[in-house]
Amino acid sequence: QVQLVESGGGLVQAGGPLRPSCAASGRTFGSYIMGWFRQAPGKERAFVAAIRWSGGSTYYTDSVKGRFTISRDNAENTVYLQMNSLKPEDTAVYYCAARYGPSLYVHEYDYWGQGTQVTVSS
């Protein structure tokens, strides 16, 4: 079945960049939406960004617009989340996810990775 493996989290100073990756395998993802979610300590899991694999349309939650960029590499079957100007409130476990369907705005996903920790210090 679908496998999603995140990497590239870590500790970063406020204002700095980080670029987690999500390696996707198990099938062709041309008809899928790929997403990033995050879960901060004591908080529920929250949507961050999504990309339509075919065509590359994107959608972001308001708190990361202008700072984060989601992208995908078709040849490598990898999704990236470029995070710039990081803030302490961005600290969370970041999860890669996938869903079959056309909508960037439906946040019910079918497949999930294990997560990668992102910690932003101030």
Side-chain angles (χ1 to χ4, degrees):
Q1 289 294 321
V2 170
Q3 292 270 355
L4 304 173
V5 180
E6 303 96 331
S7 61
L11 176 64
V12 64
Q13 294 280 343
L18 208 60
R19 197 191 191 201
S21 302
C22 172
S25 62
R27 65 188 64 187
T28 301
F29 290 91
S31 299
Y32 281 72
I33 302 296
M34 308 299 294
W36 285 96
F37 292 74
R38 64 187 181 185
Q39 187 165 23
K43 302 288 187 179
E44 294 190 1
R45 185 185 62 205
F47 172 79
V48 176
I51 185 167
R52 187 177 291 120
W53 195 282
S54 180
S57 299
T58 60
Y59 177 69
Y60 301 90
T61 194
D62 286 345
S63 63
V64 308
K65 287 179 180 176
R67 298 191 297 126
F68 291 10
T69 303
I70 187 171
S71 62
R72 86 271 190 245
D73 187 313
N74 291 329
E76 299 295 330
N77 260 23
T78 301
V79 182
Y80 301 94
L81 186 66
Q82 178 68 57
M83 304 187 291
N84 298 323
S85 301
L86 282 164
K87 306 173 181 180
E89 52 262 46
D90 295 317
T91 294
V93 176
Y94 282 71
Y95 296 92
C96 181
R99 69 182 303 272
Y100 183 83
S103 179
L104 291 166
Y105 314 112
V106 176
H107 303 323
E108 301 294 330
Y109 281 64
D110 302 309
Y111 307 101
W112 296 86
Q114 297 300 308
T116 186
Q117 177 71 49
V118 172
T119 302
V120 184
S121 64
S122 62

